[in-house]
Amino acid sequence: MDAFFASTVAVAIAEIGDKTQLLSLFLVARYASRLPIILGIFVATILNHALSALLGAWIAEWIPEAWLPWILALSFVAIALWLLIPDRDDSGDSAFLGMGAFMATTTMFFLAEIGDKTQIATVVLAARYTETFWVIMGTTVGMLLANIPVIMAGKWIMDRLPLATARIGASVLFVILALVTLWNALISA
């Protein structure tokens, strides 16, 4: 359950102010029905994060075990620094919008997650924890926890949420994950 909890919290916090959260705002403004948007985020996240977690687990098999904690800790720190950089809304008009709320959301979210902080975090978390299934479930739940409130309350929440504070909090969380990873490596050596 550590993998699920760490993945859920890491992605939920990292997602605050992320471009996919801005995409959620855009989609809610475009489509009246919220359920297809939520389902589209769920499907896109499961697909994207499953592929990412499998990649992370595969990478962990090929890296020498003594190196893994150090590489993971550096990856967590890199994500922590990346989180401090604000995202911008680049959703604009898209050819996918004519596909309907569910398909447009699924397609746009899947594509928006490629190379995104939360996708990279999923790869790193799957390399860190051997419970790949729980990493996938945790990152998916984290994505939904961060985006469903935006979908339901939209602009009202975004106007009141201090994004800089959220980015700093997420960054601190990834530094803590780096320290815990190194601590575990040192005490088990």
Side-chain angles (χ1 to χ4, degrees), residues 5-138:
F5 181 72
S7 299
T8 300
V9 172
V11 168
I13 293 173
E15 183 65 13
I16 296 173
D18 191 71
K19 68 183 169 198
T20 47
Q21 205 172 41
L22 298 171
L23 179 58
S24 291
L25 266 178
F26 170 75
L27 290 165
V28 166
R30 176 76 162 87
Y31 299 106
S33 183
R34 288 172 167 77
L35 183 60
I37 295 170
I38 293 169
L39 292 174
I41 291 170
F42 174 75
V43 169
T45 303
I46 283 282
L47 293 172
N48 190 293
H49 289 198
L51 293 171
S52 302
L54 292 172
L55 174 65
W58 179 77
I59 289 170
E61 289 179 16
W62 291 99
I63 295 174
E65 196 169 323
W67 296 7
L68 191 59
W70 301 97
I71 292 170
L72 292 173
L74 285 172
S75 298
F76 283 135
V77 170
I79 293 169
L81 294 172
W82 190 5
L83 285 166
L84 296 174
I85 302 167
D87 278 336
R88 60 180 177 81
D89 182 6
D90 58 0
S91 53
D93 280 345
S94 170
F96 302 116
L97 294 176
M99 298 166 61
F102 173 76
M103 285 305 296
T105 302
T106 302
T107 305
M108 291 173 79
F109 255 79
F110 184 86
L111 294 173
E113 274 296 293
I114 295 173
D116 192 56
K117 292 178 282 242
T118 51
Q119 184 189 41
I120 304 302
T122 301
V123 171
V124 174
L125 287 162
R128 163 71 175 86
Y129 295 101
T130 57
E131 303 90 2
T132 306
F133 173 79
W134 290 113
V135 169
I136 296 165
M137 291 299 103

